[in-house]
Amino acid sequence: QVQLVESGGGFMQPGGSLRLSCAASLRAFSINVAGWYHQAPGKQRELVASLTSGGSTNYADSVKGRFTISRDNAKNTVSLQMNNLKPEDTGVYYCNADLEGRLSKRTTNVWGQGTQVTVSS
């Protein structure tokens, strides 16, 4: 069963940067539409960045100008570059993607396991 494996979370001071990555566990699947979600402590999960199959991006107002979502087709990964981090960016970040079978062309929606980001001085 294909999975999305996340990496790159951690602790950072305000103003710093982190890069999150999300990789499909099987090469037989390609990442199509993708998004990164943020779940702050005690709050609901919210979409902060999305990427269409055609490469169009969209961002929540709270991260616009600071976060960048991108895809690397060669590595079969989706990344979230997080700059100028703020304490309110603290929380668990989840990758979500529609994975398309390279042969079957069937699509399945998969969530990553989540990675913790803590921004504090």
Side-chain angles (χ1 to χ4, degrees):
Q1 184 174 354
V2 63
Q3 297 177 329
L4 287 174
V5 181
E6 299 183 33
S7 61
F11 179 90
M12 181 54 64
Q13 292 183 337
S17 298
L18 285 173
R19 185 177 181 86
L20 308 181
S21 290
C22 174
S25 62
L26 299 176
R27 292 292 298 176
F29 290 83
S30 61
I31 297 176
N32 200 346
V33 177
W36 283 95
Y37 290 74
H38 171 224
Q39 187 163 20
K43 296 188 177 181
Q44 289 188 332
R45 195 176 300 185
E46 62 174 6
L47 178 65
V48 295
S50 62
L51 177 66
T52 70
S53 57
S56 297
T57 58
N58 197 31
Y59 299 93
D61 288 342
S62 59
V63 307
K64 204 169 289 184
R66 300 187 298 121
F67 289 11
T68 302
I69 186 172
S70 61
R71 174 170 47 220
D72 187 327
N73 291 325
K75 295 181 179 179
N76 213 18
T77 60
V78 173
S79 298
L80 184 68
Q81 178 66 40
M82 310 164 65
N83 297 330
N84 190 21
L85 283 162
K86 302 177 179 181
E88 50 264 41
D89 295 323
T90 294
V92 180
Y93 284 78
Y94 296 91
C95 175
N96 175 261
D98 287 341
L99 301 181
E100 182 180 273
R102 296 183 191 275
L103 294 179
S104 70
K105 301 302 180 184
R106 294 174 64 180
T107 298
T108 182
N109 186 265
V110 181
W111 285 90
Q113 81 278 13
T115 185
Q116 176 70 40
V117 170
T118 302
V119 184
S120 175
S121 55

